Amino acid sequence: ALVHHELSELNFGFYTAEEVRRISVKCIWNLVSFDSLGHPTAGGLHDLALGPMDKRGTCKTCGYSYVDCPGHFGHIELPLPVYHPLLFLKMLSLLKLKCFYCHHFMFNQQAVRKMVLKFRLLEHGCLKEAAVLENMPLKHPMADLLEHSGGEWDGLQEIESYVKKVLKKVKSKEHGQKPKNARSSYHSNAAWSEAVQQFFKMPVPSTRVCDNCKGCNPTVKHSGRVQVLQLPLGDKALKRMSVHDIKLHSVFADDDEPAAEVVEDEDDDDDDEAEDDGQNVSKGDLQTDVDSKAQDYMKRKEKTLLNPLVVQRHLQLLFEREPEICSYLFPHSQGSPSLFFLSALPVVPSRFRPKRVLGDGLSFENANNSHYHAVLKQSKLIREASHLHRDSMQVEAGSKEDAMELDEDRD
């Protein structure tokens, strides 16, 4: 009997670092692609594990010839995470909505909760009900009069009860049936995308003061879509921060306290103080030096470069504190902001990067290899610099211990 299959849906996404390593058959690390005899080197960009380069070769992974071997992916391990070039602007939009103090979204938590409930309805295919929810206010139109007369009205509670009733009806209809994918239809997908865009367009106060912790947040911009810059706070914002005595803490510190100081609203535009770098620094050093470093950053009148490690930690804290809304905004994120960063770079099979051979027998590497070579070279330099820094730190720590032992012997 023939078995018929029907294609119900098709999704596109990006490989995660774990998936890249899983499909890879070889870690590429060697800067030299060919030896003196013109043979591919081990760990090079044309390692035979990636497949044969010409019709005479045999694949080291599957054993097939050039004609039959489909080619195999390799990968380059990056020493530090880098921004995903295709998701950089989306990552920056997310960072602009984040509070650098409480690590929640800067919006009122009731507004965020309302969006979560809307996504929950869309998840079950309730498009009309989601449109009704959109028109349900969080604040009563006569809220001032109600408060004056002692009455109470909780808009979020009304929305919560409405969503519970709708979902109860949906589940009773689906009883005993396989639940359908709510995003399998064109209209459901369009409504979901519209809700995501609506969230990112939610108004942020011009003063960039968080509705939850009242912290003045910095203005974050990009430079050439490769760097994230944090602008300094204005004088008025700095005064406000000192009045409220909110201290800046490193995003790598163990405590959960806010990340900088808040300031009273006056006239100047507010950017939050520059976030503590915390690059290549131990947690002990961060814990002892964070307050003094924070004050130094707050007094700066220049832009601060946020490296990918700091930005990744900022987004990690956001995903930890706002897990539900983040899972709806980025369904394939698996609860982590790692999709915005690259830590393993896939290397395409050798057959798609053939050598260029001239008439006199001279051969040259494919032009696409120049980008891989640049990545390998920079990765090697970063690792060497990291090892030198680590060795110097160990020597310094050892000299300090020797000095302390010498002092103890003298005493």
Side-chain angles (χ1 to χ4, degrees), residues 135-302:
N135 296 322
M136 297 177 70
L138 286 170
K139 188 177 180 181
H140 198 278
M142 308 292 288
D144 295 335
L145 292 176
L146 278 172
E147 186 178 350
H148 183 72
S149 61
E152 291 184 3
W153 186 84
D154 190 347
L156 184 61
Q157 189 175 356
E158 294 283 334
I159 295 174
E160 293 265 11
S161 59
Y162 171 73
V163 172
K164 283 181 181 178
K165 290 178 182 177
V166 172
L167 295 182
K168 189 176 180 180
K169 290 181 181 179
V170 171
K171 288 179 181 178
S172 63
K173 290 181 180 179
E174 292 179 349
H175 183 68
Q177 300 179 4
K178 184 180 179 181
K180 296 180 180 179
N181 187 349
R183 297 185 60 191
S184 59
S185 69
Y186 170 80
H187 295 291
S188 299
N189 255 326
W192 191 281
S193 300
E194 185 180 345
V196 172
Q197 292 178 10
Q198 178 190 352
F199 182 86
F200 279 100
K201 289 180 180 178
M202 286 174 68
V204 177
S206 59
T207 55
R208 295 189 60 79
V209 176
C210 177
D211 279 344
N212 305 298
C213 67
K214 308 306 177 186
C216 289
N217 281 271
T219 298
V220 181
K221 295 184 178 180
H222 71 87
S223 175
R225 298 192 181 186
V226 293
Q227 293 180 331
V228 177
L229 300 175
Q230 179 177 307
L231 305 186
L233 279 176
D235 293 335
K236 306 295 183 180
L238 289 175
K239 292 178 184 177
R240 179 178 185 178
M241 304 296 282
S242 59
V243 167
H244 290 268
D245 193 29
I246 299 180
K247 301 291 179 70
L248 171 65
H249 291 269
S250 167
V251 287
F252 295 100
D254 289 331
D255 54 72
D256 294 330
E257 295 188 20
E261 302 193 22
V262 189
V263 187
E264 278 254 315
D265 262 39
E266 295 186 20
D267 348 54
D268 215 348
D269 239 342
D270 328 335
D271 318 305
D272 205 73
E273 63 2 82
E275 155 73 26
D276 188 354
D277 276 316
Q279 327 169 34
N280 300 324
V281 183
S282 66
K283 287 189 175 181
D285 294 335
L286 284 170
Q287 204 66 30
T288 55
D289 298 340
V290 65
D291 291 331
S292 60
K293 287 184 178 181
Q295 299 306 318
D296 291 340
Y297 281 125
M298 289 189 62
K299 293 175 183 177
R300 285 184 181 180
K301 293 298 179 182
E302 57 189 27

Side-chain angles (χ1 to χ4, degrees), residues 83-96:
Y83 301 120
H84 197 300
L86 300 180
L87 297 174
F88 181 83
L89 293 181
K90 182 61 70 176
M91 179 272 298
L92 190 67
S93 300
L94 191 64
L95 189 64
K96 287 180 178 179

Side-chain angles (χ1 to χ4, degrees), residues 96-141:
K96 287 180 178 179
L97 300 180
K98 174 194 177 292
C99 175
F100 277 42
Y101 304 93
C102 63
H103 305 297
H104 288 271
F105 285 109
M106 283 190 282
F107 316 124
N108 186 287
Q109 285 298 297
Q110 287 191 337
V112 175
R113 181 61 184 170
K114 183 179 178 181
M115 286 300 302
V116 168
L117 295 172
K118 181 176 181 178
F119 277 115
R120 198 171 288 174
L121 290 177
L122 293 175
E123 190 177 25
H124 288 82
C126 305
L127 275 63
K128 293 181 180 179
E129 291 79 359
V132 172
L133 180 145
E134 184 62 34
N135 296 322
M136 297 177 70
L138 286 170
K139 188 177 180 181
H140 198 278

Side-chain angles (χ1 to χ4, degrees), residues 363-382:
S363 61
F364 301 91
E365 284 196 63
N366 192 284
N368 292 329
N369 281 5
S370 60
H371 303 294
Y372 289 128
H373 277 300
V375 172
L376 287 170
K377 186 177 180 180
Q378 294 299 322
S379 299
K380 183 179 179 182
L381 291 174
I382 291 173

